Every structure is written in C-alpha cells, then in structure tokens.
Amino acid sequence: MKTIHLSEVRDRIKDLVQKANFELQDDVLAVITSMEKVEESPAALAVFEQMKQNADVAREERLGLCQDTGLAVFFVELGEDVELDKNDGIQSLKHAIEEGARLGYQEGYLRKSVVEDPIRRKNTGDNTPVFIHWELEPGETFKITFIAKGGGAENMSAIRMFAPAAGQEGIEDFVVETAERGGSNPCPPIIVGVGVGGNFEYSALLAKKALLRRPLGSHNSDPFYAEMEKRLLERINKLGIGPQGMGGRCTALAVHVESFPCHIASMPAAVNIQCHSHRVLSFEM
Ligand code: SF4
C-alpha cells in the first residue's frame, strides 16, 4: 500500500499549473521546429519566430505563455492500493487538487478564467472550480496530468453522432471540416484530438485524452489509426490557414486519434481542438 500525503499533492499541483503555463514543453518546440522546415511563407515563418521568442520570454520571466491561462483540467489515475493521508486540514484528493490550482493561479498571476454561471457570467475570482476526470487503476499508480484549456481553441471543438454507414471517410471529413471551420480562431497551428467510438460523452473525453496521453506528434500504436492520423494531418495542412491564420503549410502541428468500442448502431466522433500554446504537464508520486 502506498501512502500519499494530500498536502504534498496540493503543493505539486501549485507548481504544476505554473510550470505548464510558463514553460512550453520540448515536444511542442520540437514539432514547431520541424514544421518551420517545411513552411515557405515569410509571414508564417515570422509567426513561428514570435512563438519561439514568446516561449523564451515566458520561461525566463515566469509569465503565462498566453493571456488565456485556461480552464484547469486534470486527469487523475488513481491506484486501488493507494492510501490518501488527509493531513494539513485537507479533506479529500479533490480538495487538494482544487486548492493547489487555486494557489498556483493566484501566486503565478495567471488569469482567472472561470465564471460561476454560464449565463450570468460572474467571475469566480480564483479559476475554480477545476475540472477533474477520475480513472481508477489497479495497484499503486498515482499520476496527475494537467492541461490548461483556453477558450478560443475549446470553442472550435465539435462532436457528431454518425451512423456506422458514414464509415472512416465520414469521420475524416468531419475532422477536416471542424479544423476548417475553426480558421484562425483557435490560434493555429492547432493540435487536433480525435475521439472515435464509445458513446456521446465518452467520445468527447477520448478526444481530450488524445491531446495529452502521448508526446506530441507520436502516432497511435495501431497502424490503422496511425495512418488515419497522417492522412488527417496532411489534409488539414492543405487547408492553407497557416500559423495564426496568416496562410501557409502548417495549420496543424499534430493529429492524435484515440478509439474505443461502441454500440452496433452508432459511431460517435469528437474533435477537441488545442492551440499551439499546448500547456500539458504530469507528475507521478
Ligand atoms: S486559443 Fe490558445 S493561444 Fe489562442 S488565446 Fe486561447 S489559449 Fe491563447
């Protein structure tokens, strides 16, 4: 049995949300650098240069990579053989995560982007509530992954319930249409998370997981889906939207597809769009 102290979780989360917002990770920078090599448009190349300068300034001066520091979304993989030590007045793991995020956003001067009610729009003032997805695992796993999800990219996401007859082609057209409809709104070059299968809500969750479960630009271990990812990336990059909508060959940095079994009568598909300011970070204890 592994024991995890909740005060330690709170402190790790506080650091995690700041580090993710201040430091663009190496896999993102590596894909940007490789895309620069295929880009020819001077405007697009200038945007890439600004993105790299922006990343340097954010890292050195501990400033948010973007003014929209996002909803704080967490994926928690919790082992059944983990005991949670409720020390320091923290009553639950949820409380530890929420408190860590609240402190991290406050101390890091990260923008508070949550409203209490979707229609009445009063800011909660501390970027809570956070959004937590729980996954119970066997053993002593304890892993938390954070993604800062900005509004511009999230707004361009989509879900559709297909009949199975739509086939692979129907899904691929839907992904490309979604990227095209987004245009410059999600701050391209984008990262496209695709969830295929499950049911209505699970496909959306798969699409979000597709953004954060493997290094950017890696391919699905199933060759069928790996090929789909390559084809979709090529089609999206032919749209010509380009970095920040300035035109060019790079509209997307990567397409990641995740799949799951589904009902015989259904074929759900969801597309979760992420911007180039891809702030994803994990820790394990
Ligand atoms: S879409 Fe991304 S880069 Fe654009 S404003 Fe939102 S968080 Fe920032």
Side-chain angles (χ1 to χ4, degrees), residues 66-68 150 152-153 186-187 275-277 279:
C66 179
Q67 45 76 34
D68 183 350
C187 299
C275 54
H276 68 274
S277 199
R279 294 149 298 178

Side-chain angles (χ1 to χ4, degrees), residues 21 65-70 111 148-155 184-188 190 244 273-279:
N21 269 292
L65 283 153
C66 179
Q67 45 76 34
D68 183 350
T69 52
R111 195 184 80 181
K149 207 64 184 67
E154 194 77 349
N155 285 354
S184 62
N185 293 303
C187 299
I190 53 175
Q244 295 290 19
I273 303 283
Q274 172 73 322
C275 54
H276 68 274
S277 199
H278 183 48
R279 294 149 298 178

Side-chain angles (χ1 to χ4, degrees), residues 208-221:
K208 182 146 279 144
K209 276 190 197 178
L211 295 173
L212 47 80
R213 277 293 155 82
R214 48 191 159 100
L216 196 64
S218 62
H219 286 296
N220 193 303
S221 56

Side-chain angles (χ1 to χ4, degrees), residues 19-266:
K19 191 171 164 65
N21 269 292
F22 299 154
E23 298 177 17
L24 199 60
Q25 296 304 296
D26 290 346
D27 58 339
V28 186
L29 283 165
V31 178
I32 288 177
T33 304
S34 72
M35 285 290 183
E36 262 183 323
K37 293 182 185 138
V38 295
E39 194 56 84
E40 286 179 338
S41 144
L45 287 168
V47 172
F48 276 135
E49 197 46 45
Q50 282 170 4
M51 283 173 186
K52 290 196 295 184
Q53 280 174 12
N54 182 66
D56 288 344
V57 172
R59 186 183 295 264
E60 281 159 24
E61 300 195 18
R62 291 179 61 77
L63 293 168
L65 283 153
C66 179
Q67 45 76 34
D68 183 350
T69 52
L71 293 181
V73 181
F74 296 91
F75 283 79
V76 179
E77 294 160 70
L78 178 62
E80 286 167 336
D81 296 331
V82 172
E83 182 186 36
L84 300 170
D85 176 25
K86 299 173 185 173
N87 61 341
D88 212 8
I90 304 173
Q91 292 310 311
S92 66
L93 180 53
K94 178 175 182 286
H95 180 198
I97 295 170
E98 194 134 74
E99 187 62 4
R102 192 180 68 74
L103 291 169
Y105 270 75
Q106 193 172 315
E107 291 177 17
Y109 299 102
L110 300 170
R111 195 184 80 181
K112 318 303 179 293
S113 306
V114 181
V115 291
E116 276 176 11
D117 179 275
I119 298 171
R120 288 168 287 182
R121 314 296 300 175
K122 183 172 179 287
N123 198 300
T124 62
D126 60 4
N127 220 49
T128 67
V130 300
F131 297 76
I132 308 176
H133 303 289
W134 302 96
E135 291 174 14
L136 204 55
E137 307 274 351
E140 296 188 339
T141 306
F142 189 88
K143 181 173 180 183
I144 299 184
T145 303
F146 166 71
I147 179 167
K149 207 64 184 67
E154 194 77 349
N155 285 354
M156 294 299 117
S157 303
I159 185 165
R160 194 174 292 172
M161 299 302 287
F162 287 93
Q168 185 182 348
E169 199 183 321
I171 290 178
E172 291 188 17
D173 288 348
F174 167 58
V175 175
V176 177
E177 273 165 32
T178 304
E180 187 167 25
R181 182 179 50 84
S184 62
N185 293 303
C187 299
I190 53 175
I191 298 152
V192 184
V194 182
V196 184
N199 58 5
F200 181 76
E201 78 278 8
Y202 199 74
S203 62
L205 197 57
L206 279 176
K208 182 146 279 144
K209 276 190 197 178
L211 295 173
L212 47 80
R213 277 293 155 82
R214 48 191 159 100
L216 196 64
S218 62
H219 286 296
N220 193 303
S221 56
D222 179 338
F224 174 84
Y225 286 108
E227 282 308 310
M228 187 191 271
E229 289 174 345
K230 289 177 198 162
R231 222 172 18 253
L232 284 168
L233 183 62
E234 201 179 319
R235 282 184 66 185
I236 292 169
N237 280 337
K238 279 188 181 154
L239 293 172
I241 297 165
Q244 295 290 19
M246 304 293 272
R249 292 182 172 177
C250 184
T251 298
L253 294 173
V255 178
H256 288 188
V257 181
E258 293 296 319
S259 65
F260 200 77
C262 67
H263 193 281
I264 51 171
S266 317

